[in-house]
Amino acid sequence: MNAAIRAVTRAAIYEGWRVFGVYRGWEGLIMGDIKEFNSASVSNTIQRGGTILKTARSEEFRTPEGRAKAAANIKKFGLDALVVIGGNGSLAGAQVLAAEYDIPVIGLPGTIDNDLYGTDSTIGYDTALNTIMECVDKIRDTANSHDRIFFVEVMGRDAGFLTQNSAIAAGAEAAIIPEDQTDIDQLATFIGRGIRKSKNSSIVLVSEKDGGAMHYAERVRQEYPEYNVKVSILGHLQRGGSPTAYDRILASRLGVASIEALKEGQRNIMVGIKNDQIVYVPISRAIKMDKPIEKELINVLSILSI
Ligand code: F6P
């Protein structure tokens, strides 16, 4: 997030434009919590987790009255355009505001969930993926030493990208993701494969949706009491920490591209990355279209976990 804020700020100043930082997202736009930024405002931030602008979930922005206050502040501070960094909720808000008040908006995909259509990766996803992989590496020491099955719960809201890919990266035995509900019973399939018999321990990564790891652990305790089952919920560990090089570079490229897009007169688009090339996607598509998980990823895990 900070790498993106830094890139937007500096690329705009490079063009001779003035830049204002809006604190606490839509909430700050409503309250007028807005400060002018210079190049030094974003010094020493690229390596930091979280966001120097802070963030908030705003109920008031969901109301027409809230958005009217936000629009009044856009006028008061003389803002000609907004660059909005965030996930589905933030970009959906941007779309509504743009439609109601005719303000040019450029979205940058910022979420660990990687669930925005039209971009191969979102800012924060790679960092979270690496964090999960490192945590699972550590959990495996206990799983192995004690011959246990671990159900490790991974964030991602409705999407299984973090779960599926961290399972591959950490060499997990299985991943249970929302997108693969075609399997009638993923747990029974996993147990049925007899993984537990051929290995000392097993690690199953489970997406947080629909009861998450607790749900599956409880089922195993009841249906297969012979197994020693543990649960680990990684929680907000996954949302923090210094970003990976990939995320810093991605955020820097997307941030610069957002200013290029504004220069070109683009509006109401999200800047994304496809096959390592910058792309523009209408915000309406980015937030509404389903982003499928490649079947190949599901295959890779099941082949490699025998
Ligand atoms: O959308 C990003 C995300 O980290 C999800 O993966 C997770 O479900 C949610 O946000 C957590 O949000 P909060 O910190 O508000 O509980």
Side-chain angles (χ1 to χ4, degrees), residues 126-280:
D126 185 67
T127 303
L129 202 52
N130 277 280
T131 304
I132 297 163
M133 179 188 73
E134 285 166 20
C135 289
V136 175
D137 286 350
K138 291 186 166 74
I139 288 170
R140 192 177 282 289
D141 291 342
T142 299
N144 231 322
S145 308
H146 289 264
D147 289 354
R148 288 174 177 168
I149 300 182
F150 263 86
F151 287 92
V152 181
E153 186 172 305
V154 172
M155 277 185 171
R157 211 176 286 274
D158 298 331
F161 292 97
L162 280 174
T163 308
Q164 187 67 31
N165 280 319
S166 56
I168 294 174
E173 277 64 35
I176 298 180
I177 58 170
E179 292 88 341
D180 196 24
Q181 295 302 348
T182 43
D183 247 352
I184 302 131
D185 189 340
Q186 296 185 72
L187 180 66
T189 313
F190 160 67
I191 298 281
R193 267 194 268 153
I195 286 170
R196 177 84 174 132
K197 290 187 200 105
S198 60
K199 293 186 178 182
N200 291 334
S201 63
S202 292
I203 294 193
V204 181
L205 298 201
V206 185
S207 290
E208 64 181 339
K209 204 183 172 202
D210 300 333
M214 291 296 239
H215 167 74
Y216 287 98
E218 218 28 68
R219 272 197 54 197
V220 174
R221 284 190 189 113
Q222 288 184 2
E223 296 171 32
Y224 311 91
E226 65 275 26
Y227 296 146
N228 187 353
V229 179
K230 293 283 172 185
V231 167
S232 189
I233 297 173
L234 300 183
H236 288 80
L237 265 178
Q238 298 160 94
R239 280 168 59 110
S242 183
T244 58
Y246 179 87
D247 262 338
R248 296 182 199 194
I249 295 166
L250 176 67
S252 300
R253 290 179 69 187
L254 296 182
V256 170
S258 69
I259 299 302
E260 289 293 326
L262 281 173
K263 254 172 61 186
E264 283 174 20
Q266 296 281 349
R267 50 199 293 156
N268 307 339
I269 51 123
M270 181 190 84
V271 183
I273 191 112
K274 274 266 165 201
N275 302 321
D276 206 34
Q277 300 294 312
I278 296 290
V279 290
Y280 300 153

Side-chain angles (χ1 to χ4, degrees), residues 38-118:
N38 58 32
S39 185
S41 310
V42 291
S43 294
N44 192 23
T45 59
I46 197 166
Q47 78 285 13
R48 286 165 59 188
T51 157
I52 56 165
L53 283 175
K54 296 185 170 282
T55 186
R57 305 205 190 276
S58 174
E59 280 309 314
E60 197 178 357
F61 191 75
R62 292 178 190 276
T63 66
E65 295 77 20
R67 292 194 294 276
K69 286 187 201 164
N73 278 326
I74 289 175
K75 207 162 169 207
K76 182 173 156 197
F77 284 85
L79 309 180
D80 300 312
L82 286 182
V83 177
V84 176
I85 311 166
N88 238 282
S90 310
L91 298 191
Q95 198 195 13
V96 176
L97 190 73
E100 287 177 350
Y101 292 96
D102 193 29
I103 169 117
V105 168
I106 305 291
L108 292 184
T111 167
I112 63 167
D113 302 340
N114 198 28
D115 59 350
L116 290 165
Y117 176 86

